Amino acid sequence: MIIKIENNTNFSTIKSYLESLHLEVHLIHKKNNRYIVISGDERPINMNYLCSIIGNSKIITDFSPYYFSSREFQKEDTIIEVKNFKVGGGNFSYIAGPCTIENENDLIETGRLISKYGATLFRAGAFKPRTSPYNFQGWGREGIKLLHSVGQKLNMPVITEVLNPEDVLWMEPYIDVFQVGTRNMTNTALLKELGKTNKPVLLKRNFAVGIEDWIKAAEFVIVYGNSNVMLCERGIQGVDNYNRFVLDLAAVSAAKQLTHLPVIVDPSHATGRPELIPSMVSAAIVAGADGIIVETHIDPSKMLVPGDGPQALLPHQFNKIVEDNKPLLKLLQKKLCL
Ligand code: PEP
Ligand code: MN
């Protein structure tokens, strides 16, 4: 149940009543309005009593499962500010960087070049979700600190994946955007914890989950307190393994129609093939994407994450993508953030 609160309503009375019934109560501020969102078993609620204490406030019972993310709730695009650039609402950004933090030199060199070529946000993973326990798992906490210091040196905001809910709070001061990977999109404990931060969250779609469940995962972060969510399409499972996954561009258009959240496309993990990335970037732009996240490395053959090595672009290939797509962005009246 959602209650849209009017000024004369006493929130704490409503909260105490609902909590006495073991319901979870969230207070959400959106577009100059306040809402109470209730999670749990609503059957014990005495509706006559509730109506008597909510005054002029309005109970919303018939709402979509991703009410606050939906276009129905907010027509205009959400614009998320990351340091000095904007994501969404006609702004277009490139996020680039290596799959993994490996060593300071490669990180700085890759970051320096991609920043020069037009990336506004620097990506690199320290906590790597791996299929095999025998592979490199990332540098962890040490890696996050290194990424932070490289970001400072290059004057570039950074994005990195968080795997565990207990890492969210200590990571927050070191990073600019949290990435939720495809394998964790359904981890509601993590989504709830990310709701407690103010840092933007890039929420990758799980490779085996439908569009609306992906948006419901975004709704978790929003209901738990953080409205700064960007969706990211990174490919879903298909029938062959020529491409790593199937880049679902129709899902990008659908997400743009269903929600007001920015949508980012990851053609690296979707295709696993650098030669397909340029055309997928242009296709993603036409599908309505607000940005691209792409893996880049100064020497992909040296990469410590074997599966992701072959898909990384060299910085000059990234540069060509940025240049080649400028006319398309102009045609579509998207402002390229540089
Ligand atoms: C990554 O971005 O390096 C990554 C592991 O992505 P995904 O979660 O989409 O596989
Ligand atoms: Mn990767």
Side-chain angles (χ1 to χ4, degrees):
M1 186 191 293
I2 298 175
I3 304 172
K4 185 172 176 203
I5 311 182
E6 287 303 328
N7 282 339
N8 61 348
T9 306
N10 187 336
F11 170 64
S12 55
T13 311
I14 304 172
K15 184 171 153 61
S16 317
Y17 171 59
L18 294 169
E19 285 181 346
S20 75
L21 303 175
H22 306 289
L23 292 161
E24 232 178 87
V25 180
H26 311 274
L27 180 63
I28 298 184
H29 293 258
K30 279 279 205 179
K31 299 201 297 176
N32 299 326
N33 287 309
R34 288 183 308 153
Y35 297 84
I36 297 174
V37 175
I38 302 161
S39 337
D41 180 5
E42 295 176 0
R43 286 173 301 178
I45 299 177
N46 177 333
M47 290 306 285
N48 286 337
Y49 178 66
L50 183 63
C51 289
S52 74
I53 57 174
I54 66 170
N56 293 335
S57 297
K58 193 170 156 253
I59 297 178
I60 308 171
T61 43
D62 185 20
F63 54 89
S64 96
Y66 40 89
Y67 182 72
F68 293 105
S69 310
S70 70
R71 284 270 181 210
E72 176 195 332
F73 176 76
Q74 180 183 309
K75 286 202 171 34
E76 66 282 7
D77 284 358
T78 281
I79 299 178
I80 296 178
E81 300 201 2
V82 184
K83 289 256 170 82
N84 51 357
F85 75 97
K86 295 187 170 85
V87 186
N91 300 287
F92 191 87
S93 9
Y94 287 97
I95 305 167
C99 181
T100 312
I101 296 154
E102 289 153 348
N103 60 69
E104 188 172 7
N105 278 353
D106 288 3
L107 202 58
I108 291 188
E109 198 44 21
T110 305
R112 194 183 62 76
L113 288 169
I114 57 156
S115 164
K116 179 171 145 197
Y117 296 148
T120 37
L121 185 56
F122 189 29
R123 63 143 292 150
F127 295 103
K128 298 306 298 178
R130 306 309 315 282
T131 312
S132 166
Y134 298 106
N135 289 339
F136 177 58
Q137 309 291 311
W139 289 123
R141 198 178 267 256
E142 223 180 293
I144 298 290
K145 291 183 179 166
L146 182 60
L147 180 64
H148 174 73
S149 81
V150 169
Q152 302 274 71
K153 276 186 198 145
L154 297 169
N155 195 22
M156 263 191 113
V158 297
I159 172 170
T160 196
E161 179 163 356
V162 57
L163 284 186
N164 293 307
E166 55 270 29
D167 289 333
V168 170
L169 287 181
W170 74 258
M171 278 172 70
E172 188 173 6
Y174 292 103
I175 57 119
D176 299 284
V177 180
F178 283 105
Q179 178 175 320
V180 176
T182 192
R183 291 158 191 82
N184 258 307
M185 188 214 86
T186 51
N187 179 348
T188 51
L190 180 62
L191 301 176
K192 289 175 185 178
E193 201 59 26
L194 287 164
K196 295 183 191 161
T197 94
N198 284 323
K199 291 273 163 85
V201 174
L202 179 124
L203 179 65
K204 288 197 166 193
R205 178 183 177 188
N206 179 274
F207 48 64
V209 151
I211 298 166
E212 292 194 284
D213 283 357
W214 175 34
I215 303 171
K216 282 185 223 165
E219 186 82 357
F220 254 102
V221 182
I222 296 170
V223 164
Y224 279 77
N226 183 357
S227 292
N228 295 316
V229 185
M230 324 172 197
L231 297 167
C232 175
E233 162 59 34
R234 51 78 68 207
I236 53 172
Q237 273 170 347
V239 292
D240 79 75
N241 52 16
Y242 179 80
N243 290 328
R244 267 184 102 175
F245 291 92
V246 178
L247 181 57
D248 187 358
L249 288 172
V252 175
S253 294
K256 290 296 297 176
Q257 285 172 21
L258 293 170
T259 85
H260 50 81
L261 305 172
V263 181
I264 308 295
V265 169
D266 176 347
S268 300
H269 293 86
T271 64
R273 293 180 169 270
E275 71 276 17
L276 296 181
I277 292 175
S279 57
M280 289 303 100
V281 171
S282 305
I285 293 171
V286 175
D290 298 289
I292 298 291
I293 179 166
V294 76
E295 287 192 349
T296 31
H297 197 284
I298 48 163
D299 184 358
S301 69
K302 285 199 321 204
M303 278 175 61
L304 290 176
V305 181
D308 288 19
Q311 77 200 15
L313 297 174
L314 287 160
H316 77 267
Q317 293 173 313
F318 170 67
N319 184 24
K320 183 161 171 17
I321 288 176
V322 175
E323 292 307 317
D324 288 354
N325 284 292
K326 279 183 176 169
L328 183 56
L329 288 170
K330 197 166 172 209
L331 183 72
L332 296 173
Q333 296 177 333
K334 293 256 188 184
K335 185 175 171 292
L336 177 59
C337 301
L338 287 170

